[in-house]
Amino acid sequence: MVEEAEKAEANEEIIGEDTCMTINIEYEAERKLDLPYEEIIREIVLEALDYEACPYEAEITVVLTDNSEIHKLNRQYRGIDRPTDVLSFPMLEYEAPSDFSRVEESYEDCFNPETGELMLGDIIISVDKIEEQATCYGHSNARELAFLVAHSMLHLCGYDHMEDNEREEMEKRQNKILELRGYKR
């Protein structure tokens, strides 16, 4: 069992080109990633929100966990009895992806009363899957983490990949966000 003191948790206000935000990062897995995961998470979250033109200061939580815990969550929330790489829990529903035009009138309870930030939602990532998939796809763990964060950020902004045209649009946006930050396969 990992001692509480060893668990990393970071709560910082981050300022990007057009976005101020709070990113809560919780590290709950025993396996440690040998990479600057906080920096990668922050830069991809900011890039995604800038790319999607989010007009609000925002708050998100990112939890890094293991296959066992994400398996439980996947079964509980999606009815799928196996571990997955990432789960997204958006706080908003959009008429169209990244359409923030009605947020204030429809989701006044989605603003943190203490900070005024828009609470976009939570991202849960399996560190075991980061390593497995990076090996499988032949790229670095850093690139895999960046991909999973970009993918999940688009879900928090209302994108989905249930239909081919949705999947293609989401893939195009993920790739652009990663490219803007220098992550290539």
Side-chain angles (χ1 to χ4, degrees):
M1 186 76 169
V2 176
E3 297 294 323
E4 285 298 316
E6 293 178 3
K7 289 185 179 180
E9 183 173 345
N11 298 322
E12 295 185 17
E13 183 175 300
I14 307 300
I15 300 173
E17 289 179 30
D18 301 317
T19 310
C20 290
M21 69 180 306
T22 300
I23 303 173
N24 302 306
I25 300 172
E26 300 174 17
Y27 201 105
E28 298 179 354
E30 288 187 38
R31 174 183 278 168
K32 295 296 178 195
L33 288 173
D34 187 22
L35 52 89
Y37 63 88
E38 291 175 338
E39 179 182 325
I40 294 166
I41 291 168
R42 288 183 186 111
E43 73 180 350
I44 297 301
V45 165
L46 289 172
E47 193 63 55
L49 290 176
D50 284 345
Y51 189 77
E52 293 302 313
C54 179
Y56 297 101
E57 294 180 359
E59 177 181 333
I60 68 158
T61 297
V62 179
V63 178
L64 296 161
T65 192
D66 57 26
N67 276 351
S68 175
E69 187 60 31
I70 208 164
H71 183 169
K72 291 175 196 171
L73 294 170
N74 203 25
R75 184 175 51 237
Q76 179 180 354
Y77 290 102
R78 297 177 63 219
I80 299 174
D81 194 16
R82 62 177 161 70
T84 189
D85 51 3
V86 63
L87 293 169
S88 308
F89 296 97
M91 293 286 291
L92 308 173
E93 291 183 26
Y94 301 84
E95 288 185 28
S98 289
D99 178 5
F100 296 97
S101 65
R102 298 183 187 267
V103 168
E104 289 182 47
E105 63 191 51
S106 301
Y107 293 100
E108 61 192 38
D109 59 336
C110 285
F111 287 89
N112 183 322
E114 293 177 17
T115 64
E117 295 171 327
L118 177 64
M119 296 181 295
L120 286 178
D122 300 334
I123 298 170
I124 315 294
I125 300 173
S126 168
V127 297
D128 299 322
K129 289 291 186 183
I130 289 170
E131 293 178 342
E132 290 170 26
Q133 291 177 176
T135 300
C136 180
Y137 295 121
H139 53 243
S140 69
N141 288 348
R143 197 272 181 197
E144 185 64 21
L145 174 59
F147 168 80
L148 294 174
V149 172
H151 180 88
S152 209
M153 283 302 299
L154 290 173
H155 280 309
L156 296 187
C157 289
Y159 290 90
D160 207 344
H161 45 78
M162 300 305 286
E163 305 291 330
D164 283 343
N165 62 330
E166 294 172 337
R167 180 186 48 76
E168 290 167 3
E169 181 63 24
M170 199 166 167
E171 286 176 2
K172 181 180 105 180
R173 290 175 177 279
Q174 287 167 176
N175 291 337
K176 186 62 175 175
I177 291 165
L178 293 173
E179 178 185 307
L180 288 167
R181 285 316 208 158
Y183 290 98
K184 299 180 188 329
R185 281 191 165 206

